[in-house]
Amino acid sequence: MSDDKTTERADDGPGNFVADIVREDLAAGRVPGQVTTRFPPEPNGYLHIGHAKSIVLNFGLAAEFGGACNLRFDDTNPAAEDVEYVDSIKEDVRWLGFEWAEERYTSDYFQQLYEWAVQLIREGKAYVDSRTEEEIRATRGDFHSPGVNSPGRDRTVDENLALFEEMRGGAAPPGAHVLRAKIDMQSKDLKLRDPLLYRVLDAKHHRTGNDWRIYPMYDWAHGQSDAIEGITHSVCTLEFVNHHGLYDWFLEAVAADPAPQQIEFARLALSYTVLSKRRLLQLVEDGLVSGWDDPRMPTIAGLRRRGYPPEVLVSFCDRIGVAKSNSIVDVALLEHTLREDLNARCPSYMGVLDPLKVVIENLEEGAAHELDAPLSPDSEVHGTRKITLRREVWVERDDFMEEPIKKWRRLAPGKEVRLRYGCLITVKDIVKNDAGEVTELRCTWDPESLGGDAPDGRKVRGTIHWVCAEGAVDAEVRLYDRLFTAENPMDFEEGGSFLDHLNPESVELRSNAKLEPALGGLDVGTRVQFERLGYFCFDRDGSAEAPVLNRTIALRDSWAKKVKSAQDQKNQKNQKKARSTKK
RNA sequence: UCCGAGGUCGUUCAAUGGCAGGACAUCGGACUUUGAAUCCGUGAAUGGUGGUUCGAAUCCACCCCUCGGAACCA
């Protein structure tokens, strides 16, 4: 074999330091039983592509090392959480292609957590503080000064037990008492300055109803839940690095053995995108998008509706790597991954978004030429479909220029172009309305070119898409673009907001689109390429008779890029000129 | 200012004391019945200063920069 070298230097993809840690732990015999991870969303919002990174990491670790990954809803704050979110989260994880070993809820552990808390009180490691929220905050100290001990620290075990029962049983109103761990108010690790374990909340929990009034705080609940489930590697994002000491302290305090290990990685940030539940919620609530699944949203539901296959998100997460340094991934990488997948997956049809009529004058009225056209230029996998050429066809308005710029290959007066898989036509006359708008192109065709080949082998550089007027399917097409115009939408001027960077052209409607007949009656969710335009997905807003399509992403367009950069240069030159003449 | 986590091409991830490499982006070329896809190619980086070493992105010291932390949120 000639590939000794390639196997020796196997391309093992981008880095994943978490997988490295697991591998080392396994090699050193530090993993009791099987590798076990969990994906722990709080059911207070929809999942987005940032969560996909965590999902792929956690489920991927379990798969790679033959272990298991649980889905755990971290539902310790009934005020913010709801079943609506539980359902959407499950749907999204499944759609991404992952199946959890067990579906768990932190609320499943409320009883155990409570018993452990009582144990901590008995051991003098927790106490009830009866001061106000403000007092507690004020005595915590800050970065530079130590905290001051709470008077609650001196209460006896029995006193604490009795007070804790008041909290649990209903005698104490919300805010009257909290349970705190007795650690060290002088610690330089602020998280260790007697953190709260429990607060009293008068809220109905979406699962436990009114069974409980005391609700555990994240830090108290999370590590213990990990321990209960036998999680070996508890992977979380970087902002929890500051909780690491407390995570370990709680585990040690209840003698969890073996103890899970918390590992922090950098969450995903994407250019031209906002990924924070709070801000996504704001977009939804302010009506700036149509909902959580608006095709412009970076939510899993939004991307799904936009036309992203789940494999694209997984493969994207695989190639961005997992590291510890905060970074912003270029959205172009996502778009590249998308196009790569769609190019292989989608059959290519023809659709005209902004139709302009072409009449082929020397093509006999009533005549119909039926042709077989391939559904993929590069492979046989998609087969062919029939298209029909008649006297009247639709072409893209953008494909005609009355006064063509240089290197223009498409329709222009006197110019010959190819109708893809159809024939060669030449523009003879332009018909305009009173307003001076072009309404019709009168052309002639070369009957010898039926199918699109030049009979004498002459070079025809321009090839455009078209749709036969008779039998065309009317459709609405929505052209989506990036939601924000700024690379980092969070980089706004003082007094402004990320909304200042909203792209006013993030969606454009083409309500008069004409599609080839083969596109009629396709199922919602079907993905196709429109030749020369991009990839499109049938949306649920449409019907078999009146389809609605979302543009998932445009094809790469090096011509448009060239035209634009030429224009930019011109503008710059003009500006310079203007400046120098001013002087 | 205290504690903690980080700092490698434009971006992102590698190289774990031994020739700084891949992907995306950029630019150029070939091909083309999608100005697509594909193929080929170009340019581009170790935050700084000292030290250890035959040899340092990697080890040590000091400095600089970025991010996170003082919720009865997760």
Side-chain angles (χ1 to χ4, degrees):
Chain A
M1 287 252 153
S2 62
D3 56 5
D4 275 9
K5 257 184 203 159
T6 53
T7 44
E8 189 189 329
R9 279 218 60 186
D11 178 14
D12 50 3
N16 181 338
F17 80 98
V18 184
D20 293 342
I21 291 175
V22 175
R23 209 169 289 120
E24 281 160 27
D25 288 347
L26 244 14
R30 282 192 293 260
V31 182
Q34 62 178 357
V35 170
T36 309
T37 57
R38 96 271 94 110
F39 172 60
E42 182 187 12
N44 70 344
Y46 277 64
L47 259 30
H48 55 65
I49 189 169
H51 294 105
K53 179 178 180 182
S54 172
I55 291 167
V56 169
L57 212 207
N58 278 296
F59 283 91
L61 249 18
E64 182 178 352
F65 299 104
C69 179
N70 291 344
L71 173 61
R72 181 164 80 227
F73 291 95
D74 214 349
D75 54 353
T76 58
N77 185 4
E81 296 148 8
D82 196 88
V83 278
E84 175 198 355
Y85 300 118
V86 170
D87 295 340
S88 78
I89 288 168
K90 284 159 70 174
E91 183 187 355
D92 289 348
V93 173
R94 282 211 184 90
W95 179 74
L96 282 172
F98 298 102
E99 197 48 60
W100 45 91
E102 311 216 15
E103 177 180 334
R104 299 293 187 94
Y105 295 79
T106 301
S107 54
D108 294 341
Y109 314 136
F110 281 174
Q111 179 64 30
Q112 174 70 76
L113 255 10
Y114 161 73
E115 286 169 20
W116 273 330
V118 170
Q119 181 190 323
L120 289 185
I121 294 173
R122 289 221 161 90
E123 292 169 358
K125 290 178 186 163
Y127 64 92
V128 172
D129 196 329
S130 308
R131 295 128 88 213
T132 65
E133 194 174 336
E134 290 69 33
E135 283 173 305
I136 292 175
R137 211 197 310 263
T139 51
R140 186 151 22 224
D142 60 27
F143 296 149
H144 310 290
S145 46
V148 178
N149 282 357
S150 163
R153 269 185 158 249
D154 301 325
R155 293 214 244 239
T156 65
V157 167
D158 288 339
E159 247 179 309
N160 282 319
L161 250 16
L163 257 11
F164 190 41
E165 278 320 295
E166 277 184 27
M167 287 171 64
R168 188 180 70 112
H177 314 291
V178 293
L179 186 71
R180 301 179 72 178
K182 192 189 283 187
I183 306 181
D184 179 6
M185 289 306 291
Q186 272 74 256
S187 176
K188 292 199 164 168
D189 180 348
L190 269 52
K191 285 280 176 241
L192 258 25
R193 317 243 260 229
D194 291 9
L196 270 65
L197 270 71
Y198 279 99
R199 76 283 212 197
V200 174
L201 254 31
D202 258 338
K204 189 176 171 177
H205 188 279
H206 67 102
R207 297 197 87 229
T208 60
N210 296 315
D211 292 354
W212 296 90
R213 331 176 45 245
I214 50 169
Y215 289 96
M217 302 294 292
Y218 166 86
D219 288 301
W220 168 235
H222 203 88
Q224 309 315 307
S225 300
D226 285 342
I228 291 169
E229 293 177 26
I231 301 301
T232 55
H233 300 269
S234 178
V235 181
C236 63
T237 46
L238 239 36
E239 63 268 33
F240 292 98
V241 169
N242 297 305
H243 301 237
H244 202 131
L246 183 53
Y247 181 94
D248 289 345
W249 190 92
F250 278 135
L251 255 14
E252 167 107 32
V254 296
D257 183 37
Q261 175 188 181
Q262 174 174 303
I263 304 168
E264 308 88 10
F265 75 102
R267 62 161 68 234
L268 172 67
L270 259 190
S271 60
Y272 299 98
T273 310
V274 139
L275 291 183
S276 107
K277 278 191 203 172
R278 213 188 86 229
R279 295 190 184 92
L280 294 177
L281 180 67
Q282 188 181 349
L283 289 171
V284 172
E285 286 188 335
D286 292 359
L288 272 5
V289 295
S290 65
W292 285 103
D293 69 345
D294 184 298
R296 292 166 294 177
M297 290 283 273
T299 51
I300 305 293
L303 295 168
R304 175 167 58 226
R305 194 169 169 201
R306 174 81 169 251
Y308 274 72
E311 292 83 357
V312 167
L313 300 183
V314 174
S315 137
F316 170 70
C317 291
D318 280 339
R319 58 176 86 180
I320 54 178
V322 179
K324 247 180 132 91
S325 64
N326 268 312
S327 60
I328 300 177
V329 175
D330 191 344
V331 75
L333 179 59
L334 210 215
E335 295 174 342
H336 167 82
T337 310
L338 214 212
R339 289 195 181 97
E340 181 181 66
D341 176 282
L342 259 16
N343 179 54
R345 176 194 299 269
C346 298
S348 300
Y349 292 87
M350 289 194 284
V352 174
L353 269 27
D354 187 7
L356 173 63
K357 179 163 283 183
V358 161
V359 178
I360 305 171
E361 293 182 322
N362 61 339
L363 202 163
E364 196 187 326
E365 213 146 342
H369 300 278
E370 203 171 70
L371 300 155
D372 280 313
L375 283 165
S376 164
D378 305 321
S379 77
E380 309 280 286
V381 292
H382 297 301
T384 64
R385 88 294 196 185
K386 299 271 189 217
I387 55 174
T388 308
L389 176 67
R390 292 190 177 86
R391 186 180 160 86
E392 294 193 353
V393 303
W394 298 110
V395 299
E396 205 70 58
R397 188 166 286 275
D398 282 352
D399 283 336
F400 172 73
M401 277 190 105
E402 191 169 359
E403 293 168 36
I405 56 175
K406 53 182 186 297
K407 294 203 172 168
W408 180 258
R409 292 187 194 166
R410 290 117 88 166
L411 293 166
K415 196 162 173 65
E416 182 171 50
V417 304
R418 172 167 28 241
L419 297 184
R420 176 101 154 142
Y421 302 136
C423 66
L424 301 178
I425 60 169
T426 304
V427 181
K428 293 299 180 191
D429 277 307
I430 302 164
V431 182
K432 294 183 181 178
N433 62 14
D434 296 340
E437 296 159 333
V438 177
T439 55
E440 194 176 299
L441 261 24
R442 310 292 292 192
C443 301
T444 57
W445 74 311
D446 180 350
E448 298 293 307
S449 68
L450 193 62
D453 282 313
D456 54 1
R458 64 179 182 269
K459 270 271 179 271
V460 177
R461 294 301 299 274
T463 301
I464 63 171
H465 58 278
W466 58 283
V467 167
C468 188
E470 190 179 323
V473 176
D474 290 305
E476 175 181 313
V477 176
R478 299 166 180 172
L479 304 179
Y480 292 108
D481 199 354
R482 295 168 180 174
L483 230 200
F484 295 93
T485 52
E487 195 167 326
N488 178 8
M490 293 316 294
D491 196 2
F492 48 80
E493 284 177 26
E494 216 181 305
S497 94
F498 71 105
L499 299 175
D500 300 342
H501 295 302
L502 269 178
N503 178 6
E505 286 161 8
S506 59
V507 57
E508 266 182 69
L509 248 48
R510 294 283 181 275
S511 45
N512 193 27
K514 306 287 184 184
L515 315 184
E516 65 171 277
L519 255 10
L522 294 185
D523 292 337
V524 167
T526 303
R527 304 181 187 95
V528 297
Q529 181 193 136
F530 285 176
E531 298 246 357
R532 305 210 304 130
L533 294 177
Y535 301 95
F536 296 79
C537 178
F538 284 81
D539 190 81
R540 59 152 193 261
D541 282 351
S543 62
E545 305 76 48
V548 171
L549 290 97
N550 299 326
R551 182 175 70 192
T552 310
I553 187 130
L555 248 37
R556 266 179 53 178
D557 191 347
S558 56
W559 165 250
K561 214 181 269 178
K562 217 175 267 178
V563 171
K564 190 179 176 296
S565 75
Q567 213 148 47
D568 287 351
Q569 264 178 25
K570 210 169 161 187
N571 289 345
Q572 261 177 23
K573 242 183 225 167
N574 287 346
Q575 274 176 18
K576 238 184 205 169
K577 225 191 222 165
R579 266 202 303 270
S580 59
T581 50
K582 245 183 203 168
K583 281 177 195 167

